[in-house]
Amino acid sequence: MVHYGDMAVAGLGVAMKVNMVAVMLLIGVGTGIQPLLGYNFGSGNKKRFLGILRFSLLLAIALSLVMTILCYLGAGPMVNAFLEQQDAYEFGMKFARTLILSGPILGVLFVMINTIQSMGAAIPSLILSISRQGLLYIPVLFVFDKVFASEKMLVMAQPVTDYLAVILSIILGIFAFGRYFEERKLQ
């Protein structure tokens, strides 16, 4: 982002703080359900495990939608709350609204990371945990920088990565569920 100037860097910093308002809440939902899922997995209660997972996914999606709308519509006041340099306001607004594009599905990622972790699937959970800001994000960021060469598309790399991470989380979740529940021959 440095290539686009100091105001773009400042705008991105502010936009990331605005986005973290939604992200931290969604991480809390994912973390909060982990003990419930772990307890039911450990006791072999597959039906209750699936019920908690279903409820958690619906809650995460609903909360994701609400937070996306609030962060999108309230981007102006939130950017101003974090901003010291008014010259960066336009960048902050544009970037905040770009980053929140992955908001509607982001809760699914955090629920799935903790679901997989609650089943004792350490490697798939680790892969998911580092994919959003590492394994997937870094390559997407480099590709977007080379292909698009614009500050808005550089910021767009994060929402694209988030959607890819959610797809990966569903695939790994299905794999982990089949492997770990079937291995235990639970009912």
Side-chain angles (χ1 to χ4, degrees):
M1 194 57 73
V2 172
H3 300 293
Y4 301 105
D6 292 342
M7 292 305 108
V9 173
L12 179 60
V14 168
M16 291 173 75
K17 289 176 185 171
V18 170
N19 192 47
M20 289 307 288
V21 170
V23 170
M24 288 299 173
L25 186 61
L26 298 170
I27 287 173
V29 170
T31 305
I33 60 130
Q34 186 178 0
L36 295 170
L37 291 169
Y39 174 78
N40 285 290
F41 177 78
S43 68
N45 194 338
K46 187 175 181 180
K47 182 179 178 183
R48 192 164 184 200
F49 180 94
L50 289 173
I52 293 168
L53 178 58
R54 189 175 308 111
F55 174 79
S56 301
L57 287 171
L58 291 173
L59 175 66
I61 291 168
L63 196 54
S64 294
L65 289 170
V66 168
M67 291 308 296
T68 298
I69 291 167
L70 289 176
C71 287
Y72 191 86
L73 295 177
M78 291 196 312
V79 166
N80 274 331
F82 293 113
L83 197 58
E84 292 179 16
Q85 298 172 327
Q86 282 304 115
D87 297 343
Y89 180 80
E90 289 303 317
F91 283 111
M93 281 292 293
K94 178 171 50 173
F95 295 162
R97 288 189 167 161
T98 300
L99 287 175
I100 203 65
L101 291 175
S102 60
I105 51 91
L106 207 49
V108 172
L109 175 64
F110 299 121
V111 167
M112 292 306 294
I113 288 171
N114 288 286
T115 298
I116 292 168
Q117 196 171 30
S118 72
M119 290 188 280
I123 299 299
S125 179
L126 175 66
I127 290 169
L128 281 179
S129 294
I130 62 174
S131 67
R132 182 174 183 259
Q133 295 296 323
L135 283 179
L136 296 174
Y137 181 59
I138 293 171
V140 169
L141 189 61
F142 281 118
V143 168
F144 273 48
D145 186 40
K146 294 292 182 200
V147 173
F148 298 110
S150 83
E151 74 274 355
K152 182 168 183 185
M153 289 308 291
L154 196 57
V155 174
M156 189 67 172
Q158 184 66 62
V160 168
T161 300
D162 291 341
Y163 279 91
L164 292 173
V166 168
I167 292 167
L168 179 62
S169 76
I170 292 168
I171 292 167
L172 289 175
I174 291 168
F175 164 77
F177 185 80
R179 178 171 181 208
Y180 290 89
F181 263 109
E182 294 309 315
E183 267 182 14
R184 297 184 64 193
K185 300 284 186 229
L186 301 176
Q187 346 171 357

